[in-house]
Amino acid sequence: MNEGKRYNNLSGYLRETFGGKVAKLSIDGGFTCPNRDGHKGDRGCIFCGEMGAGEFASRLGPVQDQVDEQIRLLGNKWKTDKYIAYFQSFTNTYAPVERLKEVFEPVLGHPKIVGIAIATRPDCLPEEVLDYLSQLNERTFVWIELGLQTIHEETAKLIRRGYPLETYEKAVEQLKERGIRTVTHLIVGLPHESREMILESARYVGETDTWGIKLHSLYIQRDTDLYTMFLERPFPLMTLKEYVETISEIISILPKEMVVHRITGDGDKSLLHEPKWSRDKLKVIASIDKRLKEMNILQGCAL
Ligand code: SF4
């Protein structure tokens, strides 16, 4: 493990791979989402806010300008010359390949960009897009993020994910065949999911053996349908203690080499309704680290 963590965290992985600190820049490619524009749905996933699950994405116009502006803003904090351009908001492969090229190519030409991370949906990876991603993958460090959230179909319907598990499985296989790194998102604490259901999702992701995983805590933002649903029909939310215990158990069943990109959520604090504890990200992470140490849990130790 790296950086003194008991799991294979992303920043340590990148540090080892690139020989120093690598920071992520959130870039807005100006895409939409089929789950919002009427193709799959018109209201999106119930937890998705106005910014399309990319609350920190830059919105400053041309992508090159966004990269420069973000480096200017973050440069003092990170003291690095190596950055990954992270296309986080909405569905960043939901466009013809020509349009994808217009967005991604100028970013790759930037001297401080060492890689590109692309968040998308598994139902937005047609063959020609996969072929382009494959080319990108030969030219730079690429990972693709897929928002699975849960393997349980009843929850997937409730959150209006808009595709079945088979679609995710097919996308992962196609990305793997092309040697493209894939990161799976899970949300921990979705309505009416027991700890065992959450662990089943995590175990499944471990078995599909994607390169990385992102674990988000469920948080309810006031600009989402989840907020309305919660007010009308409240459901039990995880306490910090339950969350910390669950994440610790998940870490124990993830393959040792899987890169853990995130272990908690990071929404817009000004819009957060519940759970209040999720506001303090550093405390959540420290609590998980403490629990892992106390229980002598290392990533993959229970496999
Ligand atoms: S797929 Fe992503 S951008 Fe689209 S509605 Fe769901 S969370 Fe929002």
Side-chain angles (χ1 to χ4, degrees), residues 24-36:
K24 279 195 297 180
L25 308 173
S26 279
I27 307 297
D28 187 341
F31 298 101
T32 61
C33 172
N35 207 14
R36 282 172 161 271

Side-chain angles (χ1 to χ4, degrees), residues 32-36 43-45 47-49 52-53 89-91 121 149 160-161:
T32 61
C33 172
N35 207 14
R36 282 172 161 271
R43 296 195 57 82
C45 305
F47 52 81
C48 182
S89 303
F90 298 105
T91 303
R121 293 169 55 87
Q149 324 307 3
R160 297 196 306 248
R161 188 180 64 190

Side-chain angles (χ1 to χ4, degrees), residues 37-145:
D37 72 2
H39 274 84
K40 295 275 171 180
D42 48 24
R43 296 195 57 82
C45 305
I46 59 169
F47 52 81
C48 182
E50 293 301 317
M51 303 289 276
E55 268 66 24
F56 298 111
S58 176
R59 290 184 174 265
L60 300 172
V63 285
Q64 304 97 307
D65 295 355
Q66 293 184 44
V67 170
D68 286 331
E69 178 65 4
Q70 292 259 307
I71 289 176
R72 194 182 63 74
L73 291 172
L74 296 174
N76 281 340
K77 182 177 173 197
W78 295 119
K79 305 270 184 281
T80 178
D81 269 342
K82 292 178 182 152
Y83 295 92
I84 301 249
Y86 180 30
F87 290 85
Q88 178 184 16
S89 303
F90 298 105
T91 303
N92 294 280
T93 60
Y94 184 45
V97 169
E98 287 316 309
R99 167 84 186 116
L100 301 186
K101 286 183 178 169
E102 283 170 18
V103 174
F104 299 143
E105 296 294 330
V107 169
L108 292 184
H110 195 287
K112 293 186 178 174
I113 293 293
V114 296
I116 183 166
I118 300 170
T120 190
R121 293 169 55 87
D123 54 2
C124 291
L125 290 168
E127 205 69 24
E128 61 275 17
V129 167
L130 286 164
D131 289 344
Y132 175 55
L133 295 177
S134 190
Q135 286 172 30
L136 281 184
N137 194 40
E138 282 167 20
R139 292 160 51 202
T140 189
F141 190 91
V142 173
W143 77 74
I144 304 297
E145 300 196 1

Side-chain angles (χ1 to χ4, degrees), residues 194-251:
S194 63
R195 186 184 297 198
E196 194 39 52
M197 289 169 79
I198 297 165
L199 291 172
E200 279 169 11
S201 290
R203 227 173 266 121
Y204 168 90
V205 174
E207 282 160 14
T208 53
D209 201 21
T210 49
W211 170 71
I213 189 166
K214 256 188 183 179
L215 300 165
H216 292 260
S217 51
L218 180 78
Y219 50 82
I220 301 171
Q221 287 193 178
R222 279 188 290 274
D223 62 341
T224 62
D225 285 350
L226 179 62
Y227 174 64
T228 315
M229 183 184 126
F230 184 74
L231 293 186
E232 285 169 0
R233 282 169 285 135
F235 52 87
L237 292 170
M238 275 187 159
T239 62
L240 175 59
K241 181 171 181 288
E242 286 166 339
Y243 185 76
V244 166
E245 288 173 3
T246 306
I247 294 293
S248 301
E249 204 168 343
I250 289 175
I251 287 172

